Amino acid sequence: MSEHDKDMKMDTMVVHAGQRPEETTGAVMPPIFTASTYSQVSPGVHKGFDYSRAQNPTRYALERMVARLEGSTIAENIDPSCGGFAFSSGMAATCTALDLISAGSHVIAMDDLYGGTTRLLRQVRQPTQNLDLSFIDLSKPDAIKSAMRPDTALVWLETPTNPTLKLADIKAIADAAHAVNPKCLVAVDNTFATPINQRPLTLGADLVVHSLTKYMNGHSDVIGGVIATNRADLAERIRFIQKSAGAVLGPFDSYLALRGIKTLGLRVARHNESGLRVAKYLETHDSVERVVYVGLASHPHHALAKRQMVGPNGGGTGMITFFIKGGLDAARTFLENVRIFALAESLGGVESLIEHPAIMTHASISAEMRAELGITDSLIRLSVGIENCDDLIADLDGAFAAVNKSLGVRAG
Ligand SMILES: *Cc1c(COP(=O)(O)O)cnc(C)c1O
């Protein structure tokens, strides 16, 4: 990292961090290097590139960018992608993080995780890697202290969680975990917050994982994942696993994700601003039981949010969860009557999305577990996009009117 990089603000970093003009032409964006292999002048003598699963210049450019955004200071001569590693999906990145711990390890995970992560842990890695899993509500301040064991190998955090938007105190949890076992890895899935709003490595986490698919790429046209670390020993091991297991991100997708990240600062500022406005609108609506939004004073962990989520416009992201009055019928009518919000899984794109976790994203979680987490039939999740916010609020207003009309018709 150059001295220059260290002084940059996030809005500048998303354009320049870890980047430089391409050497032969001066091109300001890295070319899409499609070659699978590289010629050598003598056996084993090459320019640091021998086979594209192991090294790809386009992927490196993306990986360096994400590593720097997440606060890694590893120099390029120590690790060629500075502690950033890109994978073919967020789940492939998560698998690679799990490959850092040995079979039979004790793992503590937040109870309210991305559904795919819960499925991977319980239905793939528990049986194949014999993991000893403890799912804990780590939003409770002392929960980590009672859950930690001297042999705990990994603490897996999501904050804010999906879809109940609980927050966990990254610094307190990392300190508590490392106090019991200095070797325990603390990993944070930072997909919801993005480094614009929250930088876990600077708060004591060992690893950050992202689904690039969401806010980072931001345009709903790439599936990808990334791991960032500021520890050279972990970077060396992750590089080895990335090359050995091979779930790398291809050069075209690496280029697209890097292109998407160039506007991350602008996009997240807008997501935060519109998220807060839509949350405030929902909070005053008669048809809404309750709104959960990190940037609202009514959020149970709002004080922590203000400390930990430091992005522009309150740092609350574009993610809102609310409970509609009238149960499943009302929720279904509401979801059928939005026009700008697309009814779809996923989140974090420029376009606004709406979904019903109990039926859609969290259907793979048992009904009992959903009840325990508060994922009821009246829970609706919004991913507020970058459209004009007046249009978005008018769209929600129209859907509420349709719900009231249908409830009125049935009552009469
Ligand atoms: C989408 C998502 C993932 C999985 O990422 P894919 O790119 O879909 O594999 C992991 N964690 C969170 C929080 C997500 O939203």
Side-chain angles (χ1 to χ4, degrees):
M1 171 144 131
S2 71
E3 282 309 303
H4 188 66
D5 273 8
K6 258 185 274 182
D7 297 333
M8 293 194 293
K9 310 260 188 310
M10 288 303 277
D11 280 340
T12 309
M13 288 187 72
V14 296
V15 180
H16 296 293
Q19 309 302 302
R20 55 176 167 266
E22 196 269 326
E23 272 152 35
T24 54
T25 64
V28 297
M29 275 298 276
I32 303 172
F33 284 93
T34 57
S36 56
T37 190
Y38 307 87
S39 70
Q40 310 194 1
V41 286
S42 173
V45 180
H46 53 72
K47 298 175 172 164
F49 295 87
D50 58 17
Y51 187 66
S52 202
R53 166 156 40 75
Q55 315 95 2
N56 180 279
T58 316
R59 198 181 79 222
Y60 273 2
L62 167 69
E63 291 173 331
R64 284 197 304 264
M65 168 66 84
V66 179
R68 290 295 183 241
L69 292 180
E70 286 293 358
S72 169
T73 54
I74 298 176
E76 215 177 316
N77 61 353
I78 302 294
D79 182 83
S81 55
C82 308
F85 302 92
F87 298 90
S88 54
S89 69
M91 293 324 302
T94 302
C95 279
T96 303
L98 295 176
D99 285 337
L100 290 167
I101 58 173
S102 1
S105 289
H106 179 234
V107 175
I108 297 173
M110 188 81 179
D111 58 352
D112 178 30
L113 290 180
Y114 174 70
T117 304
T118 306
R119 184 174 56 199
L120 174 70
L121 286 168
R122 282 189 194 276
Q123 298 182 48
V124 181
R125 293 308 183 104
Q126 200 284 322
T128 61
Q129 204 175 348
N130 192 28
L131 295 179
D132 179 3
L133 301 171
S134 302
F135 288 92
I136 308 283
D137 181 358
L138 295 170
S139 70
K140 300 212 171 94
D142 286 326
I144 186 68
K145 294 201 177 107
S146 34
M148 268 305 286
R149 304 193 323 218
D151 66 334
T152 304
L154 174 68
V155 174
W156 189 272
L157 292 179
E158 260 180 49
T159 174
T161 61
N162 174 16
T164 60
L165 303 176
K166 290 191 288 196
L167 298 193
D169 187 331
I170 297 169
K171 181 155 192 338
I173 289 170
D175 288 349
H178 290 144
V180 176
N181 178 10
K183 290 196 177 136
C184 176
L185 298 178
V186 175
V188 178
D189 180 334
N190 206 28
T191 301
F192 270 40
T194 82
I196 302 293
N197 287 326
Q198 165 178 294
R199 299 210 296 164
L201 297 183
T202 69
L203 301 171
D206 302 286
L207 300 168
V208 164
V209 175
H210 277 277
S211 168
L212 286 171
T213 314
K214 316 294 171 51
Y215 283 112
M216 294 293 265
N217 176 60
H219 293 73
S220 307
D221 53 7
V222 167
I223 296 281
V226 71
I227 301 181
T229 183
N230 196 20
R231 280 180 46 184
D233 60 327
L234 288 179
E236 191 181 351
R237 182 70 188 161
I238 297 166
R239 175 167 303 289
F240 178 78
I241 299 167
Q242 184 191 41
K243 166 175 85 173
S244 305
V248 292
L249 193 66
F252 290 96
D253 286 344
S254 295
Y255 161 78
L256 279 171
L258 181 61
R259 184 187 217 264
I261 288 173
K262 300 266 169 165
T263 57
L264 186 70
L266 287 170
R267 285 187 286 109
V268 171
R270 177 65 162 250
H271 288 297
N272 288 348
E273 182 188 355
S274 295
L276 183 59
R277 258 194 77 194
V278 170
K280 284 183 171 163
Y281 156 79
L282 290 170
E283 211 170 35
T284 59
H285 203 287
D286 284 343
S287 306
V288 173
E289 192 83 57
R290 188 159 67 88
V291 183
V292 187
Y293 180 71
V294 167
L296 287 177
S298 60
H299 190 286
H301 313 132
H302 186 58
L304 173 58
K306 284 215 282 206
R307 226 181 326 127
Q308 185 164 275
M309 302 185 69
V310 294
N313 303 323
T317 82
M319 300 307 297
I320 304 173
T321 288
F322 73 98
F323 297 83
I324 194 167
K325 289 182 186 164
L328 184 59
D329 284 348
R332 200 183 290 280
T333 307
F334 189 84
L335 293 162
E336 285 169 359
N337 281 278
V338 283
R339 289 165 206 284
I340 298 174
F341 279 85
L343 179 56
E345 300 194 1
S346 198
L347 59 106
V350 291
E351 60 286 285
S352 291
L353 300 181
I354 190 166
E355 70 117 0
H356 191 270
I359 298 178
M360 297 166 67
T361 47
H362 289 64
S364 68
I365 292 172
S366 70
E368 300 85 73
M369 184 75 182
R370 283 203 304 270
E372 211 170 285
L373 295 171
I375 305 174
T376 67
D377 285 348
S378 56
L379 189 159
I380 293 174
R381 189 186 80 181
L382 301 179
S383 171
V384 176
I386 64 165
E387 302 94 333
N388 183 293
C389 197
D390 292 337
D391 287 343
L392 296 179
I393 289 174
D395 191 32
L396 298 173
D397 229 24
F400 280 125
V403 171
N404 287 336
K405 196 168 157 219
S406 83
L407 291 176
V409 166
R410 217 166 296 145

